[in-house]
Structure formats: C-alpha cells, structure tokens
Amino acid sequence: MSLFVNKMVDEWGTSYTLTGAGYGALVLLILVLLLAACYLTGEKRQVQTKPMVFAAMAMALGMITSFLKLFEAPMGGSVTLFSMLFICCIGYWYGLRTGLITGVAYGLLQLIADPYIISLPQMITDYLLAFGALGLSGLFSNQKNGLIKGYIAGVLGRLLFAFLSGLIFFASYAKGSGMSAPVYSLAYNGSYLGIEAAMTLVVLSVPAVNKAFGRVKQMAVN
C-alpha cells in the first residue's frame, strides 16, 4: 500500500486500486494538463478561455458517450457511441500539441472512471499513451477533410498502444485461442476499435454532418 494506490492480490494476480489521494492527484493533474494545453494553443503563449471551454466540453461528451456501450469485450474494451470522435475533435480544432496533451488528460479521466492497473508501465500505455494518441488528429487540423483524416490517425494511434499493451502485459490471454500473442492482441483490440471507427466514418461521410463539424470548428477557433 502507498499514498496513491492499494495493492490487491487475488486468483487473477496482482492489481492496484486508487486511494482517495490517488484520485485527488489525478484530478489535479488533469486540470494542469488542460491549462497547459490551452496555454500552448496558437501562437500566443497565454491561457485562453475559449479553448479550455471547448476542450472541457469535448472531454465531457467523450466521457458521457464512453459509458454508452453498444458492445463490451470480455476482457476490456468496448464499442461506444462515438466517444473517440469527440476527443479527436480537440486536435482537429487546435492542432497537434493541444490534441495530444488533452488526450492524455482524457486518459487520466478514464483512469479515474474505470481503473485497471497491474503495473505503472501498463497504466501509462493503456491510459496515457493510448488515449493521448487520439490527439494525433491534430496532424490534419488544417487540411481538407481534416477531421476524417485526423480521426483515422487518432484511432490507429490508439490501436498501436492497445496492441502493444495486449502483447506485452496480457499475452497470456492468447493461450487456448489458437493464435499467437501478436495476432490475438491485434484481432482483439482491432475488433472493437475497428467497429466503432467504421460506424463513425460512415456518419462523418454524410455531407450535412461533415459541414456541421466544420461550423463547430469555426466557433471553436474564431
């Protein structure tokens, strides 16, 4: 037991739960990251209110829709109601730096809501890096069809870290599946992420929806 986590041992092995201090530290870190993300938005090095409001709004929508699960995989992961899209929007609105930092903040929010920790490297990979990668959408913030391209980049980034986590930390789950650990991890994580991505891209391909997101971006950046 430490100040921030409690150690638990059961038939599944060793895992850790957050203490009150752990939850408090994560909330504080989320606020610091949001301030940093808004400070780095654009060329002006000052905290801007509008990016903070829109980033917080997108995180809230992402969090709410992450609980609206259309399908939940047996060992973690789910198809949600477009939750990744809202986080990718932040990078699409404000660029790569803000997208990545806010994505990490969202990962910490997911850690608060649904923690599963077996080690510090696993926690970093599953929460900070995987959700932070959704901010790769910022690579295409100023391009034509930037939201669609950015969303694909963000999902592929999250898939990469989910795949690495499955391969490194949960390879034992592949036993009995008839697949090697890399194939199993790719198939398992690619299934739920791929289904949600396909559904989202179908919706974004509707011209009216695409235009609506474009108008929201104008509101966010002007």
Side-chain angles (χ1 to χ4, degrees):
M1 177 177 175
S2 70
L3 179 61
F4 299 110
V5 295
N6 289 321
K7 183 177 180 180
M8 300 181 62
V9 180
D10 54 26
E11 66 272 17
W12 301 103
T14 301
S15 61
Y16 299 87
T17 59
L18 295 170
T19 65
Y23 283 111
L26 290 180
V27 170
L28 179 61
L29 185 54
I30 289 170
L31 293 175
V32 170
L33 287 172
L34 282 176
L35 286 171
C38 295
Y39 177 81
L40 293 172
T41 299
E43 297 180 357
K44 297 180 180 179
R45 291 296 181 265
Q46 60 184 19
V47 176
Q48 302 180 53
T49 304
K50 181 178 281 190
M52 183 178 295
V53 171
F54 273 84
M57 178 184 68
M59 286 178 62
L61 289 171
M63 200 68 203
I64 292 169
T65 52
S66 73
F67 292 121
L68 302 177
K69 299 177 181 180
L70 306 179
F71 167 78
E72 188 167 8
M75 291 171 289
S78 58
V79 178
T80 69
L81 198 62
F82 312 121
S83 64
M84 291 188 292
L85 174 61
F86 294 107
I87 308 307
C88 288
C89 280
I90 302 170
Y92 172 61
W93 295 335
Y94 300 117
L96 181 62
R97 290 177 302 187
T98 301
L100 290 174
I101 294 172
T102 312
V104 172
Y106 177 73
L108 292 174
L109 192 59
Q110 285 287 339
L111 179 59
I112 291 173
D114 187 21
Y116 183 73
I117 308 169
I118 61 172
S119 67
L120 181 61
Q122 173 266 327
M123 184 195 75
I124 292 173
T125 304
D126 277 342
Y127 292 95
L128 277 65
L129 297 180
F131 288 106
L134 295 174
L136 291 172
S137 58
L139 289 169
F140 303 93
S141 61
N142 296 317
Q143 294 190 18
K144 183 178 180 181
N145 297 318
L147 181 55
I148 292 176
K149 295 176 182 177
Y151 179 77
I152 293 172
V155 173
L156 289 176
R158 183 181 172 189
L159 174 60
L160 171 63
F161 289 110
F163 164 75
L164 291 175
S165 176
L167 180 62
I168 298 170
F169 306 110
F170 303 103
S172 60
Y173 289 178
K175 294 179 181 178
S177 67
M179 293 182 281
S180 64
V183 173
Y184 180 82
S185 181
L186 183 61
Y188 181 89
N189 293 291
S191 60
Y192 65 86
L193 290 176
I195 292 171
E196 181 173 336
M199 291 170 49
T200 304
L201 290 172
V202 168
V203 172
L204 288 177
S205 67
V206 178
V209 174
N210 202 288
K211 289 181 180 179
F213 274 98
R215 288 195 292 270
V216 173
K217 180 176 182 177
Q218 291 179 350
M219 293 172 57
V221 300
N222 294 332

